[in-house]
Amino acid sequence: MTTLLISADSNLDDWMDAWREAAPHRPVVCHGRAPYDPAAIQYALTWKPPAGALNALPNLKVAFNLGAGVDAVMADPTFPSHIPLVRLVDQDLTNRMGEWVVLQVLTHFRQTLGYLELQRTKTWRDLTQPAARSARVGLMGYGTLARHCTPILRGLGFNVHGWARGPKESDITLHHGEEGLANFLARTDILVCLLPLTEATRGILDAKLIGQLSRGTPVGPVLINAGRGGLQNEADILAALQDGTLKGASLDVFNEEPLPATSPMWDAPNLIITPHVAAITDPASAVGNIVEQIDAFEAGAPLQNVVDRGHGY
Ligand code: NDP
Ligand code: OXD
């Protein structure tokens, strides 16, 4: 009944402490810290595990990802297809993403970068400010995180609509699939991307997509991405910021992380960079969810938030 923590992050002690606090009766070991018997491991808590590491656990029952995005595990071809992979759905993480998204939307919409520039030159001048109701925020990927942002953005007066892979019931206009993408983009002034990285979404944020965004408000179009860096064609985004096709952007994620000091993205105009911190995982909160899931699973309940291997998220 041993649980294995196998994570590339540096905060291993926080996870071990959180686990021992939440499940003192469930033994836990940490990969890389001390030897363990692979055959004793039934559950894995995993974040960017080394390729092949999960395949080396013959009695693994469930792998719990310690973040919402599972692309790192999905990239390991040796990860056995019969082992359920559970992605993290956690209210604390969801709240944090809501904060980041709303902060970025308002920063661009209220032209904060422009005002900072005016302040730098000691210039007292107003910039034309449209009303929130005239701006359309398009949530690209309409899953757990994006759905949380909708009522907050609507409460501020923005028009909100979304784009997902498949059709679904919603109280906002939802476009879906490749056939719905052009309509979605043509009605979007501020694009917020919260897509997972899969074979279908890799590189989707490119010049072609940016060129289809609405130019219906003087403060747009704006691109905001906290999904994954692999969704981005960074050369295209840089060019769009430089030639004004994009009025602004906020990127929390990059193809290469940490973003190298030599990257031209650091100097891109009207770009806000945050270092993959939009919604970090709080170990205590996440472990609480995982232990509840294991208790329910052992009592015979189905697992929640299991990744669909075919779709990759
Ligand atoms: P969900 O799985 O709940 O939602 C994913 C959404 O993307 C769904 O609406 C899904 O459509 C849609 N989608 C997937 N593939 C496609 C496609 N090919 N075309 C159109 N839509 C698609 O994920 P979360 O909301 O929990 O998380 C989203 C991502 O955010 C994570 O995968 C992760 O990469 C990133 N993330 C980043 C963090 C950060 O700090 N920067 C923190 C946490 C997450 P459908 O509804 O039809 O299934
Ligand atoms: C996540 C992340 O997926 O931190 O949770 O990016």
Side-chain angles (χ1 to χ4, degrees), residues 47-255:
W47 183 245
K48 300 184 183 168
L54 295 174
N55 191 34
L57 308 172
N59 297 314
L60 184 64
K61 283 189 177 160
V62 187
F64 292 92
N65 200 54
L66 299 181
V70 294
D71 42 294
V73 181
M74 294 303 295
D76 178 358
T78 71
F79 182 54
S81 56
H82 66 279
I83 303 295
L85 172 63
V86 173
R87 63 191 199 85
L88 184 67
V89 174
D90 174 64
Q91 195 57 51
D92 176 81
L93 181 147
T94 302
N95 291 345
R96 289 170 193 252
M97 185 59 86
E99 291 165 9
W100 187 87
V101 165
V102 172
L103 175 66
Q104 304 311 321
V105 168
L106 285 178
T107 296
H108 291 288
F109 181 68
R110 295 304 305 249
Q111 307 177 80
T112 306
L113 297 181
Y115 281 114
L116 284 174
E117 187 54 26
L118 290 174
Q119 181 177 339
R120 208 183 54 77
T121 55
K122 301 181 179 155
T123 308
W124 184 273
R125 178 164 75 77
D126 64 340
L127 302 170
T128 309
Q129 183 59 51
R133 66 176 179 282
S134 68
R136 293 159 303 175
V137 179
L139 296 171
M140 188 175 199
Y142 200 65
T144 308
L145 301 178
R147 283 196 303 272
H148 170 75
C149 298
T150 296
I152 313 174
L153 291 166
R154 286 174 109 185
L156 291 167
F158 291 104
N159 277 296
V160 180
H161 66 152
W163 183 69
R165 191 176 50 78
K168 53 186 61 57
E169 288 284 306
S170 173
D171 61 347
I172 62 164
T173 303
L174 259 195
H175 308 262
H176 67 269
E178 274 177 44
E179 64 282 15
L181 184 57
N183 267 338
F184 167 73
L185 296 172
R187 289 164 178 73
T188 295
D189 302 301
I190 300 176
L191 180 69
V192 176
C193 179
L194 289 168
L195 281 170
L197 178 61
T198 67
E199 284 319 305
T201 61
R202 187 177 296 281
I204 193 168
L205 301 176
D206 63 2
K208 181 167 170 242
L209 177 141
I210 292 167
Q212 293 178 79
L213 288 169
S214 162
R215 304 197 131 57
T217 164
V219 297
V222 168
L223 168 65
I224 295 170
N225 181 31
R228 280 288 181 269
L231 301 165
Q232 293 166 181
N233 181 321
E234 281 158 21
D236 286 3
I237 294 172
L238 178 62
L241 286 165
Q242 284 170 335
D243 71 14
T245 309
L246 274 178
K247 289 272 174 52
S250 292
L251 305 178
D252 183 58
V253 284
F254 290 87
N255 277 285

Side-chain angles (χ1 to χ4, degrees), residues 2-7 9-36 41 43 45 66 282-284 287 291:
T2 302
T3 296
L4 175 68
L5 171 65
I6 179 162
S7 165
D9 263 359
S10 56
N11 59 347
L12 298 176
D13 287 332
D14 296 342
W15 284 103
M16 293 296 276
D17 290 349
W19 185 269
R20 291 188 183 115
E21 171 92 6
H25 55 292
R26 292 186 179 277
V28 61
V29 291
C30 181
H31 183 83
R33 285 267 172 100
Y36 59 88
I41 306 300
Y43 302 109
L45 311 177
L66 299 181
D282 173 56
V287 158
V291 171

